[in-house]
Amino acid sequence: MGVLNVTPDSFSDGGRYTSLDAALRQAEQMLADGAAIIDVGGESTRPGAAPVSEQQELDRVIPVVEALHRELDALVSVDTSTPAVIRACADAGAGMINDVRSLRRPGALEAAAGTGLPVCVMHMQGEPGTMQNDPFYEDVTAEVIAFLEQRVAACVDAGIPRDKLLVDPGFGFAKTVQHNLRLLAELSQLARLELPLLVGLSRKSLFGKVLDRPVEQRLAGSLAAAVMCVERGARIVRAHDVKETVDGVRFAHAVHRSL
Ligand SMILES: Nc1nc2[nH]c(SCCc3ccc(S(N)(=O)=O)cc3)nc2c(=O)[nH]1
């Protein structure tokens, strides 16, 4: 899953793809590099990020989804929590909903169910603006699993078939370095959910803290983490550096196929 940020303040490449043409070129390159999905986000959800208005999110995302659908044969995932954006993106040709808030906003479950699209639900406590203020867990992996089970049940109750759901532990969302490391070490336990596992670690501050690297020097750490996640059952890896991540994942698969 290649990351296409169309927000001016995204944590890793904010502002580079605000022009539609630049976004299309970047998407084309990620597909050429082996991405199966392009994840388009109009709201930055990095820690401390300011909330974005519904209209702002629509204005950023819809033209990109329309262009990607028109110009490229790509599965477009939309990173949004907003019911109006969920509906508009589905109409514009999006193929998947990726909601870091797991459809907890009023109307989001109904909007997603109405689109018939696959949905990724992800663990987060609180909101991006405050989620890193001293997050606490008795057992982070057990609590992440319990949260995901609850959101899966809510989606199924709202009419989203279970076979259209994916789960994601939400690395970097309301988690300390220790929580993220523990969650990665115990990632295999999420297999209990019996749903495809999506992970997003690319360039996150975890690598800055463990490896003391600035955001533009986190490729090696991100690749190590991607391979570890695949070895522990991840099926989709959300990444900025698609070409390199695809090679890492392909190599991990080759090793597993040798068994
Ligand atoms: N399914 C799914 N969707 C995602 N969308 C994003 S946007 C990244 C927001 C962010 C940036 C930076 C940090 S930090 N402080 O750890 O560096 C945290 C969160 N991420 C994910 C993810 O993982 N899954």
Side-chain angles (χ1 to χ4, degrees):
M1 176 186 270
V3 179
L4 188 63
N5 277 317
V6 288
T7 63
D9 65 338
S10 294
F11 86 105
S12 165
D13 43 21
R16 199 183 303 164
Y17 309 119
T18 41
S19 81
L20 190 53
D21 194 48
L24 263 179
R25 281 199 304 275
Q26 170 65 10
E28 212 157 26
Q29 185 58 57
M30 293 194 288
L31 292 167
D33 290 345
I37 306 167
I38 302 293
D39 193 41
V40 180
E43 173 204 7
S44 171
T45 51
R46 66 173 172 35
V52 66
S53 75
E54 177 178 296
Q55 193 51 54
Q56 238 176 339
E57 207 181 338
L58 284 165
D59 293 347
R60 286 172 183 170
V61 173
I62 302 306
V64 175
V65 175
E66 283 171 343
L68 289 174
H69 183 63
R70 190 177 57 245
E71 312 280 335
L72 308 171
D73 180 22
L75 172 52
V76 177
S77 162
V78 180
D79 207 329
T80 184
S81 305
T82 311
V85 180
I86 290 171
R87 278 190 291 272
C89 286
D91 295 342
M96 177 176 154
I97 295 155
N98 174 28
D99 182 7
V100 298
R101 294 180 181 83
S102 298
L103 301 175
R104 282 178 290 164
R105 278 201 175 144
L109 275 171
E110 296 75 10
T115 67
L117 291 180
V119 175
C120 178
V121 291
M122 189 201 81
H123 176 270
M124 170 168 64
Q125 258 182 6
E127 280 291 321
T130 55
M131 66 184 176
Q132 289 305 112
N133 301 343
D134 194 24
F136 174 80
Y137 302 89
E138 287 288 339
D139 174 339
V140 61
T141 306
E143 291 172 57
V144 164
I145 289 171
F147 172 90
L148 292 171
E149 278 169 342
Q150 198 278 323
R151 293 318 299 161
V152 164
C155 289
V156 170
D157 289 352
I160 303 173
R162 189 180 166 82
D163 66 4
K164 284 230 182 333
L165 294 175
L166 300 93
V167 291
D168 181 327
F171 287 112
F173 289 90
K175 295 167 185 90
T176 63
V177 171
Q178 283 314 315
H179 293 140
N180 287 312
L181 293 174
R182 181 77 174 266
L183 202 45
L184 176 43
E186 298 181 331
L187 196 63
S188 310
Q189 290 183 28
L190 272 72
R192 188 184 320 158
L193 294 162
E194 294 185 322
L195 287 170
L197 180 59
L198 191 160
V199 294
L201 273 151
S202 182
R203 299 185 186 170
K204 286 187 175 175
S205 64
L206 171 65
F207 307 108
K209 291 177 188 139
V210 171
L211 304 174
D212 193 17
R213 295 280 183 254
V215 66
E216 64 278 359
Q217 293 177 28
R218 293 175 185 168
L219 175 55
S222 301
L223 287 181
V227 169
M228 293 173 77
C229 286
V230 168
E231 290 190 318
R232 288 164 177 78
R235 303 282 300 284
I236 301 176
V237 175
R238 184 176 182 278
H240 298 85
D241 306 289
V242 171
K243 187 177 178 59
E244 295 84 356
T245 306
V246 166
D247 276 1
V249 170
R250 284 169 60 202
F251 187 78
H253 286 166
V255 170
H256 283 237
R257 277 198 300 274
S258 72
L259 293 175

